[in-house]
Structure formats: structure tokens, C-alpha cells
Amino acid sequence: MRLRPDELADLQQVMRTLDLHSLSDALREGLRLFSREATEVAAAQEIRDFY
């Protein structure tokens, strides 16, 4: 994956803020957050479908 310079700078800042030591750590954390968000979106959809 290629990142634009501004995206790379943002990623490096996030890694420092969250004390992530490698790109793998950052990707793992990102996937964890995407998974959590997808679960929340699915739950909200189930509630909408119910009502």
C-alpha cells in the first residue's frame, strides 16, 4: 500500500500517540477498530430492522 506524505505523517503521529512500535502494530489496531465499528453498525441495523 502506498501512502501520500500527509497520510504517512498522520500515521506516524498516531503511532507515537498510541505508543505503537511498528506498522504491524498500527495495522492490527486499525483492524481491531474496523471490526468493532462493523459490529456496531450491524447491531444498529438489526435494531432498525426490528422497529
PDB file of all heavy atoms in Angstrom, residues 7-28:
ATOM      1  N   GLU A   7      -0.583  11.394   4.631  1.00  0.00           N
ATOM      2  CA  GLU A   7      -1.118  10.209   5.304  1.00  0.00           C
ATOM      3  C   GLU A   7      -0.047   9.539   6.149  1.00  0.00           C
ATOM      4  O   GLU A   7      -0.316   9.096   7.272  1.00  0.00           O
ATOM      5  CB  GLU A   7      -1.658   9.216   4.278  1.00  0.00           C
ATOM      6  CG  GLU A   7      -2.883   9.708   3.536  1.00  0.00           C
ATOM      7  CD  GLU A   7      -3.266   8.829   2.378  1.00  0.00           C
ATOM      8  OE1 GLU A   7      -2.383   8.219   1.740  1.00  0.00           O
ATOM      9  OE2 GLU A   7      -4.477   8.752   2.090  1.00  0.00           O
ATOM     10  N   LEU A   8       1.154   9.477   5.623  1.00  0.00           N
ATOM     11  CA  LEU A   8       2.261   8.882   6.364  1.00  0.00           C
ATOM     12  C   LEU A   8       2.567   9.692   7.622  1.00  0.00           C
ATOM     13  O   LEU A   8       2.769   9.131   8.704  1.00  0.00           O
ATOM     14  CB  LEU A   8       3.504   8.777   5.487  1.00  0.00           C
ATOM     15  CG  LEU A   8       4.721   8.113   6.119  1.00  0.00           C
ATOM     16  CD1 LEU A   8       4.386   6.704   6.600  1.00  0.00           C
ATOM     17  CD2 LEU A   8       5.874   8.081   5.134  1.00  0.00           C
ATOM     18  N   ALA A   9       2.548  11.000   7.496  1.00  0.00           N
ATOM     19  CA  ALA A   9       2.786  11.859   8.660  1.00  0.00           C
ATOM     20  C   ALA A   9       1.693  11.638   9.709  1.00  0.00           C
ATOM     21  O   ALA A   9       1.986  11.552  10.912  1.00  0.00           O
ATOM     22  CB  ALA A   9       2.841  13.324   8.240  1.00  0.00           C
ATOM     23  N   ASP A  10       0.443  11.540   9.267  1.00  0.00           N
ATOM     24  CA  ASP A  10      -0.661  11.278  10.198  1.00  0.00           C
ATOM     25  C   ASP A  10      -0.466   9.937  10.891  1.00  0.00           C
ATOM     26  O   ASP A  10      -0.659   9.819  12.108  1.00  0.00           O
ATOM     27  CB  ASP A  10      -2.009  11.288   9.474  1.00  0.00           C
ATOM     28  CG  ASP A  10      -2.451  12.667   9.044  1.00  0.00           C
ATOM     29  OD1 ASP A  10      -1.880  13.672   9.521  1.00  0.00           O
ATOM     30  OD2 ASP A  10      -3.383  12.742   8.213  1.00  0.00           O
ATOM     31  N   LEU A  11      -0.114   8.921  10.119  1.00  0.00           N
ATOM     32  CA  LEU A  11       0.097   7.591  10.687  1.00  0.00           C
ATOM     33  C   LEU A  11       1.225   7.599  11.712  1.00  0.00           C
ATOM     34  O   LEU A  11       1.097   7.027  12.801  1.00  0.00           O
ATOM     35  CB  LEU A  11       0.399   6.580   9.578  1.00  0.00           C
ATOM     36  CG  LEU A  11       0.723   5.161  10.032  1.00  0.00           C
ATOM     37  CD1 LEU A  11      -0.419   4.571  10.855  1.00  0.00           C
ATOM     38  CD2 LEU A  11       1.064   4.285   8.841  1.00  0.00           C
ATOM     39  N   GLN A  12       2.309   8.270  11.403  1.00  0.00           N
ATOM     40  CA  GLN A  12       3.428   8.334  12.340  1.00  0.00           C
ATOM     41  C   GLN A  12       3.033   9.046  13.623  1.00  0.00           C
ATOM     42  O   GLN A  12       3.425   8.625  14.720  1.00  0.00           O
ATOM     43  CB  GLN A  12       4.623   9.021  11.680  1.00  0.00           C
ATOM     44  CG  GLN A  12       5.246   8.153  10.601  1.00  0.00           C
ATOM     45  CD  GLN A  12       6.267   8.912   9.765  1.00  0.00           C
ATOM     46  OE1 GLN A  12       6.226  10.131   9.647  1.00  0.00           O
ATOM     47  NE2 GLN A  12       7.177   8.164   9.164  1.00  0.00           N
ATOM     48  N   GLN A  13       2.210  10.096  13.512  1.00  0.00           N
ATOM     49  CA  GLN A  13       1.739  10.801  14.703  1.00  0.00           C
ATOM     50  C   GLN A  13       0.846   9.898  15.541  1.00  0.00           C
ATOM     51  O   GLN A  13       0.975   9.838  16.763  1.00  0.00           O
ATOM     52  CB  GLN A  13       0.984  12.081  14.310  1.00  0.00           C
ATOM     53  CG  GLN A  13       0.440  12.847  15.504  1.00  0.00           C
ATOM     54  CD  GLN A  13       1.530  13.291  16.458  1.00  0.00           C
ATOM     55  OE1 GLN A  13       2.561  13.794  16.027  1.00  0.00           O
ATOM     56  NE2 GLN A  13       1.317  13.106  17.740  1.00  0.00           N
ATOM     57  N   VAL A  14      -0.044   9.184  14.898  1.00  0.00           N
ATOM     58  CA  VAL A  14      -0.931   8.257  15.612  1.00  0.00           C
ATOM     59  C   VAL A  14      -0.111   7.177  16.308  1.00  0.00           C
ATOM     60  O   VAL A  14      -0.370   6.835  17.472  1.00  0.00           O
ATOM     61  CB  VAL A  14      -1.953   7.629  14.640  1.00  0.00           C
ATOM     62  CG1 VAL A  14      -2.676   6.444  15.271  1.00  0.00           C
ATOM     63  CG2 VAL A  14      -2.952   8.676  14.168  1.00  0.00           C
ATOM     64  N   MET A  15       0.885   6.648  15.623  1.00  0.00           N
ATOM     65  CA  MET A  15       1.725   5.599  16.208  1.00  0.00           C
ATOM     66  C   MET A  15       2.440   6.113  17.454  1.00  0.00           C
ATOM     67  O   MET A  15       2.536   5.409  18.458  1.00  0.00           O
ATOM     68  CB  MET A  15       2.719   5.063  15.176  1.00  0.00           C
ATOM     69  CG  MET A  15       2.053   4.226  14.096  1.00  0.00           C
ATOM     70  SD  MET A  15       3.179   3.699  12.797  1.00  0.00           S
ATOM     71  CE  MET A  15       4.225   2.551  13.708  1.00  0.00           C
ATOM     72  N   ARG A  16       2.927   7.350  17.399  1.00  0.00           N
ATOM     73  CA  ARG A  16       3.585   7.929  18.579  1.00  0.00           C
ATOM     74  C   ARG A  16       2.576   8.124  19.712  1.00  0.00           C
ATOM     75  O   ARG A  16       2.846   7.782  20.858  1.00  0.00           O
ATOM     76  CB  ARG A  16       4.244   9.264  18.229  1.00  0.00           C
ATOM     77  CG  ARG A  16       5.558   9.126  17.482  1.00  0.00           C
ATOM     78  CD  ARG A  16       6.288  10.450  17.383  1.00  0.00           C
ATOM     79  NE  ARG A  16       5.552  11.435  16.609  1.00  0.00           N
ATOM     80  CZ  ARG A  16       5.605  11.554  15.278  1.00  0.00           C
ATOM     81  NH1 ARG A  16       6.377  10.750  14.566  1.00  0.00           N
ATOM     82  NH2 ARG A  16       4.902  12.482  14.665  1.00  0.00           N
ATOM     83  N   THR A  17       1.414   8.656  19.379  1.00  0.00           N
ATOM     84  CA  THR A  17       0.393   8.928  20.384  1.00  0.00           C
ATOM     85  C   THR A  17      -0.069   7.654  21.078  1.00  0.00           C
ATOM     86  O   THR A  17      -0.242   7.627  22.302  1.00  0.00           O
ATOM     87  CB  THR A  17      -0.813   9.636  19.740  1.00  0.00           C
ATOM     88  OG1 THR A  17      -0.370  10.862  19.165  1.00  0.00           O
ATOM     89  CG2 THR A  17      -1.907   9.914  20.753  1.00  0.00           C
ATOM     90  N   LEU A  18      -0.272   6.592  20.292  1.00  0.00           N
ATOM     91  CA  LEU A  18      -0.776   5.334  20.846  1.00  0.00           C
ATOM     92  C   LEU A  18       0.338   4.387  21.271  1.00  0.00           C
ATOM     93  O   LEU A  18       0.065   3.259  21.672  1.00  0.00           O
ATOM     94  CB  LEU A  18      -1.685   4.640  19.819  1.00  0.00           C
ATOM     95  CG  LEU A  18      -2.944   5.406  19.420  1.00  0.00           C
ATOM     96  CD1 LEU A  18      -3.729   4.629  18.375  1.00  0.00           C
ATOM     97  CD2 LEU A  18      -3.796   5.724  20.630  1.00  0.00           C
ATOM     98  N   ASP A  19       1.576   4.855  21.167  1.00  0.00           N
ATOM     99  CA  ASP A  19       2.740   4.054  21.550  1.00  0.00           C
ATOM    100  C   ASP A  19       2.778   2.722  20.801  1.00  0.00           C
ATOM    101  O   ASP A  19       3.007   1.664  21.386  1.00  0.00           O
ATOM    102  CB  ASP A  19       2.763   3.830  23.063  1.00  0.00           C
ATOM    103  CG  ASP A  19       4.125   3.365  23.554  1.00  0.00           C
ATOM    104  OD1 ASP A  19       5.142   3.739  22.934  1.00  0.00           O
ATOM    105  OD2 ASP A  19       4.172   2.633  24.561  1.00  0.00           O
ATOM    106  N   LEU A  20       2.533   2.798  19.492  1.00  0.00           N
ATOM    107  CA  LEU A  20       2.610   1.619  18.630  1.00  0.00           C
ATOM    108  C   LEU A  20       4.010   1.604  18.026  1.00  0.00           C
ATOM    109  O   LEU A  20       4.468   2.600  17.475  1.00  0.00           O
ATOM    110  CB  LEU A  20       1.541   1.692  17.537  1.00  0.00           C
ATOM    111  CG  LEU A  20       0.100   1.757  18.046  1.00  0.00           C
ATOM    112  CD1 LEU A  20      -0.855   2.042  16.898  1.00  0.00           C
ATOM    113  CD2 LEU A  20      -0.278   0.497  18.780  1.00  0.00           C
ATOM    114  N   HIS A  21       4.684   0.476  18.138  1.00  0.00           N
ATOM    115  CA  HIS A  21       6.100   0.419  17.795  1.00  0.00           C
ATOM    116  C   HIS A  21       6.399  -0.023  16.367  1.00  0.00           C
ATOM    117  O   HIS A  21       7.547   0.063  15.935  1.00  0.00           O
ATOM    118  CB  HIS A  21       6.823  -0.493  18.789  1.00  0.00           C
ATOM    119  CG  HIS A  21       6.682  -0.016  20.205  1.00  0.00           C
ATOM    120  ND1 HIS A  21       7.317   1.104  20.683  1.00  0.00           N
ATOM    121  CD2 HIS A  21       5.931  -0.484  21.229  1.00  0.00           C
ATOM    122  CE1 HIS A  21       6.984   1.298  21.945  1.00  0.00           C
ATOM    123  NE2 HIS A  21       6.138   0.353  22.299  1.00  0.00           N
ATOM    124  N   SER A  22       5.381  -0.497  15.669  1.00  0.00           N
ATOM    125  CA  SER A  22       5.641  -0.955  14.304  1.00  0.00           C
ATOM    126  C   SER A  22       4.405  -0.744  13.447  1.00  0.00           C
ATOM    127  O   SER A  22       3.292  -0.543  13.956  1.00  0.00           O
ATOM    128  CB  SER A  22       6.006  -2.447  14.302  1.00  0.00           C
ATOM    129  OG  SER A  22       4.883  -3.232  14.655  1.00  0.00           O
ATOM    130  N   LEU A  23       4.606  -0.801  12.156  1.00  0.00           N
ATOM    131  CA  LEU A  23       3.493  -0.705  11.225  1.00  0.00           C
ATOM    132  C   LEU A  23       2.520  -1.862  11.462  1.00  0.00           C
ATOM    133  O   LEU A  23       1.304  -1.687  11.400  1.00  0.00           O
ATOM    134  CB  LEU A  23       3.999  -0.708   9.779  1.00  0.00           C
ATOM    135  CG  LEU A  23       2.947  -0.559   8.695  1.00  0.00           C
ATOM    136  CD1 LEU A  23       2.118   0.696   8.892  1.00  0.00           C
ATOM    137  CD2 LEU A  23       3.604  -0.558   7.327  1.00  0.00           C
ATOM    138  N   SER A  24       3.043  -3.043  11.761  1.00  0.00           N
ATOM    139  CA  SER A  24       2.181  -4.186  12.057  1.00  0.00           C
ATOM    140  C   SER A  24       1.275  -3.901  13.257  1.00  0.00           C
ATOM    141  O   SER A  24       0.089  -4.229  13.234  1.00  0.00           O
ATOM    142  CB  SER A  24       3.011  -5.438  12.329  1.00  0.00           C
ATOM    143  OG  SER A  24       3.651  -5.872  11.163  1.00  0.00           O
ATOM    144  N   ASP A  25       1.830  -3.275  14.293  1.00  0.00           N
ATOM    145  CA  ASP A  25       1.022  -2.914  15.457  1.00  0.00           C
ATOM    146  C   ASP A  25      -0.084  -1.932  15.060  1.00  0.00           C
ATOM    147  O   ASP A  25      -1.224  -2.054  15.507  1.00  0.00           O
ATOM    148  CB  ASP A  25       1.875  -2.284  16.555  1.00  0.00           C
ATOM    149  CG  ASP A  25       2.801  -3.266  17.238  1.00  0.00           C
ATOM    150  OD1 ASP A  25       2.572  -4.493  17.130  1.00  0.00           O
ATOM    151  OD2 ASP A  25       3.767  -2.798  17.880  1.00  0.00           O
ATOM    152  N   ALA A  26       0.264  -0.961  14.228  1.00  0.00           N
ATOM    153  CA  ALA A  26      -0.713   0.034  13.787  1.00  0.00           C
ATOM    154  C   ALA A  26      -1.805  -0.619  12.947  1.00  0.00           C
ATOM    155  O   ALA A  26      -2.999  -0.329  13.133  1.00  0.00           O
ATOM    156  CB  ALA A  26      -0.016   1.139  12.990  1.00  0.00           C
ATOM    157  N   LEU A  27      -1.434  -1.509  12.041  1.00  0.00           N
ATOM    158  CA  LEU A  27      -2.424  -2.198  11.217  1.00  0.00           C
ATOM    159  C   LEU A  27      -3.320  -3.090  12.066  1.00  0.00           C
ATOM    160  O   LEU A  27      -4.545  -3.138  11.872  1.00  0.00           O
ATOM    161  CB  LEU A  27      -1.737  -3.018  10.129  1.00  0.00           C
ATOM    162  CG  LEU A  27      -1.052  -2.203   9.033  1.00  0.00           C
ATOM    163  CD1 LEU A  27      -0.256  -3.115   8.118  1.00  0.00           C
ATOM    164  CD2 LEU A  27      -2.066  -1.403   8.250  1.00  0.00           C
ATOM    165  N   ARG A  28      -2.747  -3.777  13.017  1.00  0.00           N
ATOM    166  CA  ARG A  28      -3.518  -4.638  13.918  1.00  0.00           C
ATOM    167  C   ARG A  28      -4.547  -3.808  14.688  1.00  0.00           C
ATOM    168  O   ARG A  28      -5.712  -4.191  14.816  1.00  0.00           O
ATOM    169  CB  ARG A  28      -2.569  -5.352  14.880  1.00  0.00           C
ATOM    170  CG  ARG A  28      -3.139  -6.534  15.575  1.00  0.00           C
ATOM    171  CD  ARG A  28      -2.081  -7.296  16.381  1.00  0.00           C
ATOM    172  NE  ARG A  28      -1.051  -7.878  15.522  1.00  0.00           N
ATOM    173  CZ  ARG A  28       0.225  -7.467  15.443  1.00  0.00           C
ATOM    174  NH1 ARG A  28       0.658  -6.483  16.185  1.00  0.00           N
ATOM    175  NH2 ARG A  28       1.075  -8.060  14.642  1.00  0.00           N
TER     176      ARG A  28
END
